[in-house]
Amino acid sequence: MVKRLVTFPDGRQVCPLGQGTYQMGRRRKEEIQALRRGIDLGLTLIDTAEMYGTEDLVGEAVRECRDKAFIVSKVLPSNADYKGTKRACERSLKRLGTDYIDLYLLHWIGQYPFSETVRAMVELQQEGKIRQWGMSNLDVADMERILSLPHGTDCAANQVLYNLKDRGIEFDLIPWSERKHIPIMAYTPLAEGKLRRHKTVSGIAERHNATPTQILLAWVMRSSNVIAIPKAGSMAHVEENVRSLDIDLTKEDLRELDAAFPPPARKIRLAGW
Ligand code: NAP
């Protein structure tokens, strides 16, 4: 059951739990089943990128339910000049087997000026090839630069590293994004499995009759503007993850987690890709 939704600037709403696909492909059949199970359970946002080599897998997973799915893909910085962005999008559409991408992101900052990438994104949106566009791995100062460009305030999301042990964005990027109504997509929300055996997390999980993974996800999704996109390669993991949506962490839980993983007390450079 989804208790709250995250709203994009164009009014579209998604469940705060989505599905990542980085490093999928090795168990293709099982992974496609997992993604489809997730969509059936309401995890309609699926994250891919031209870099991941998973766009065709995502396309296959959503073939029978394209209208239900919310596909996010990304252009590589090395392709992100004006013409290159447009060509990369066409290639992604072909691999995905669809005629539109719901949200198209610049994967990270590269050598091309933002103005070129954004101009191409705006045109792709006007042509109906993408519904919305956004950024990934950008900190506040660079997001400000994006917003100052023509049509820059249409920027619909910023996808960044965020999990219990990488909390730097709480200092300024999360509050800034809330003020600008730009959703944050939290990647690597499970810290790639590194926190599953942590004593504090396990203790809280026991109190909620939940698993540590579910606590980690509930924690990431506790802010109203944040979407978590864990990668889960099996139906069992997807079903486990979806139950994190029912967990309300208490003040006491949050206090314990803050003690074990202190929130940032000063500006920390954005970590990640
Ligand atoms: P993650 O989601 O933090 O961790 C993925 C790992 O957690 C996988 O090994 C997965 O195993 C495991 N897992 C998932 N559910 C589980 C469960 N219920 N129990 C036990 N293990 C579980 O790491 P991530 O893949 O790096 O990040 C998620 C997504 O964010 C990526 O797939 C990608 O779409 C996106 N991303 C974006 C960027 C960017 O620069 N924009 C960078 C990194 C990632 P199984 O596969 O066996 O389920």
Side-chain angles (χ1 to χ4, degrees):
M1 188 197 56
V2 180
K3 283 182 284 194
R4 78 171 168 88
L5 297 169
V6 174
T7 307
F8 283 103
D10 73 349
R12 285 190 76 187
Q13 294 188 306
V14 296
C15 172
L17 188 62
Q19 307 190 74
T21 65
Y22 180 51
Q23 289 182 322
M24 277 192 179
R26 278 169 292 199
R27 293 174 288 141
R28 187 180 172 98
K29 214 171 148 199
E30 196 184 354
E31 290 157 349
I32 287 174
Q33 279 176 341
L35 290 173
R36 286 183 180 158
R37 179 73 180 133
I39 293 170
D40 284 346
L41 292 169
L43 314 188
T44 54
L45 185 151
I46 302 184
D47 183 69
T48 181
E50 61 170 333
M51 190 195 112
Y52 300 168
T54 57
E55 289 176 315
D56 66 319
L57 183 153
V58 171
E60 191 177 335
V62 306
R63 193 161 299 148
E64 304 297 321
C65 59
R66 175 64 188 96
D67 293 346
K68 259 175 134 185
F70 185 107
I71 298 178
V72 182
S73 193
K74 313 182 196 84
V75 57
L76 272 170
S78 52
N79 289 333
D81 59 333
Y82 168 72
K83 280 192 180 155
T85 302
K86 294 190 106 177
R87 281 196 294 259
C89 182
E90 295 290 353
R91 290 194 298 270
S92 288
L93 288 170
K94 206 168 269 171
R95 284 189 292 263
L96 285 160
T98 184
D99 51 10
Y100 68 95
I101 292 168
D102 295 276
L103 176 62
Y104 197 44
L105 309 178
L106 171 64
H107 210 145
W108 66 87
I109 301 175
Q111 72 268 43
Y112 296 112
F114 285 149
S115 56
E116 284 204 30
T117 317
V118 170
R119 185 158 68 92
M121 297 273 197
V122 170
E123 284 184 18
L124 288 166
Q125 191 177 21
Q126 286 162 352
E127 291 157 11
K129 292 175 179 164
I130 63 175
R131 293 268 163 96
Q132 299 183 92
W133 60 269
M135 295 287 138
S136 179
N137 294 298
L138 259 56
D139 211 338
V140 173
D142 286 318
M143 285 300 286
E144 293 275 16
R145 287 171 56 207
I146 295 293
L147 265 55
S148 71
L149 294 169
H151 299 280
T153 51
D154 292 341
C155 179
N158 186 15
Q159 186 176 122
V160 291
L161 177 71
Y162 185 49
N163 59 54
L164 189 56
K165 70 170 185 56
D166 294 294
R167 300 183 60 169
I169 64 169
E170 286 175 34
F171 186 76
D172 53 354
L173 187 59
I174 288 188
W176 181 91
S177 304
E178 268 171 15
R179 286 198 300 278
K180 302 289 179 187
H181 307 288
I182 299 176
I184 290 277
M185 298 175 66
Y187 74 68
T188 319
L190 299 173
E192 296 169 321
K194 286 176 200 135
L195 301 175
R196 277 211 316 275
R197 282 179 191 80
H198 192 278
K199 223 174 98 209
T200 307
V201 179
S202 305
I204 295 170
E206 255 177 54
R207 290 209 292 268
H208 285 268
N209 199 14
T211 65
T213 299
Q214 289 165 344
I215 299 300
L216 294 171
L217 291 175
W219 180 87
V220 167
M221 295 187 290
R222 74 199 185 291
S223 307
S224 60
N225 203 36
V226 176
I227 301 161
I229 50 166
K231 175 249 179 187
S234 66
M235 287 215 272
H237 280 174
V238 169
E239 286 167 4
E240 179 181 338
N241 296 352
V242 86
R243 287 195 291 274
S244 63
L245 291 163
D246 296 329
I247 297 172
D248 287 316
L249 295 173
T250 64
K251 282 188 181 148
E252 178 57 23
D253 298 332
L254 296 175
R255 259 196 303 272
E256 283 181 29
L257 290 169
D258 283 350
F261 300 92
R266 57 178 172 80
K267 170 78 189 159
I268 292 173
R269 217 173 131 239
L270 185 66
W273 221 292

